[in-house]
Amino acid sequence: MRITTLFAAALLAAAPVAAAATPAPAPAPAPLSSQVIRTDDGYLMGNPKAPVKLVVLSAFGCPHCRIIDGAMMPPLKRDWIDTGKVSLRYVPYGMFPTDVPSLFLSECGRVDGFFNRSGRIFKIQQVVTSAFAGAPSASRSKIAEGPAANVPGALASLSGLTNYAPRVGVTQAAFRQCLSNPGIRQAISKRQKVIEARYKFVGTPAIWINGKPTGTGSSWPKLEALLKAASR
């Protein structure tokens, strides 16, 4: 018995000891630019308590807004928002006929996907506005004379925006549902009134840093220079 016991003990002693499991590394925190909340006048990206507060009032049919959006967003998110220096308050305003369906399209999805949709809407701006401008004047007049509830859908069809919705990440079926959604229509209408009462501007884009108008227009280099000055 003793030999057997010693043999078993020897086997146990010779058995390799399993290595302790290495704990999985903690997941990296989500970038601040992925933190998006809805406000009464639009959307806020980043840390709401960031020391520099950037406000951009923009319209989807505005060519200068398209230019500044394309030039601004990548470096703004990378160098300013993700570093916690700046928060972006984005104010989408309806100023041009094609803005109406574009605003509905921008609202057609999750809150945290707004900036992804808005960037893609700007990328198709030229084809949409060109299609609308090239439509017969009688067709445009007919939309204006029709029921208000039908205007967003009619403008989306006339401008071709419905066909381009998948490029924004929204199916045509989902977009049509959003166009006829009274909740979205009421939210956009209410936001328009808030914007017009809160902000003093004569055109788009209108940009403020810590409450002061910048007058930078579509120039990202000029805007970034002001951000550097404000963050000192």
Side-chain angles (χ1 to χ4, degrees):
M1 280 297 284
R2 182 170 179 73
I3 294 175
T4 304
T5 302
L6 290 172
F7 185 73
L11 289 177
L12 290 172
V17 178
T22 303
L32 287 171
S33 58
S34 68
Q35 299 180 18
V36 180
I37 60 173
R38 183 180 279 124
T39 63
D40 65 343
D41 58 2
Y43 290 84
L44 181 71
M45 175 192 288
N47 178 11
K49 296 182 180 180
V52 178
K53 294 173 172 51
L54 175 66
V55 176
V56 176
L57 191 152
S58 182
F60 287 119
C62 160
H64 292 290
C65 299
R66 183 190 78 247
I67 294 170
I68 186 65
D69 186 84
M72 171 184 74
M73 291 306 290
L76 177 65
K77 289 193 292 185
R78 181 189 65 241
D79 301 332
W80 296 96
I81 295 177
D82 285 341
T83 56
K85 299 175 184 176
V86 173
S87 66
L88 169 63
R89 193 179 192 95
Y90 193 85
V91 183
Y93 183 67
M95 195 171 219
F96 303 90
T98 55
D99 287 344
V100 176
S102 295
L103 286 168
F104 276 79
L105 184 55
S106 71
E107 298 293 327
C108 200
R110 291 163 53 102
V111 169
D112 59 5
F114 170 80
F115 286 96
N116 184 39
R117 292 189 297 274
S118 65
R120 293 181 179 185
I121 291 172
F122 276 121
K123 289 181 179 179
I124 59 174
Q125 179 202 89
Q126 291 173 295
V127 293
V128 170
T129 54
S130 295
F132 179 79
S137 58
S139 299
R140 296 197 297 267
S141 298
K142 187 176 180 180
I143 293 175
E145 296 167 358
N150 295 344
V151 169
L155 287 172
S157 297
L158 192 64
S159 65
L161 187 59
T162 302
N163 296 330
Y164 288 105
R167 293 194 185 184
V168 180
V170 180
T171 66
Q172 292 184 18
F175 183 34
R176 290 190 181 97
Q177 289 181 346
C178 290
L179 287 166
S180 60
N181 186 319
I184 294 178
R185 182 167 58 250
Q186 291 168 8
I188 292 174
S189 177
K190 183 179 180 180
R191 186 172 66 201
Q192 286 280 115
K193 294 176 182 177
V194 170
I195 294 170
E196 290 167 359
R198 180 172 297 167
Y199 298 99
K200 294 181 180 180
F201 61 100
V202 294
T204 54
I207 303 174
W208 296 262
I209 294 178
N210 290 340
K212 297 180 180 180
T214 64
T216 53
S218 59
S219 173
W220 165 245
K222 291 181 180 179
L223 179 57
E224 186 171 35
L226 293 178
L227 290 175
K228 291 178 180 178
S231 62
R232 292 188 185 124

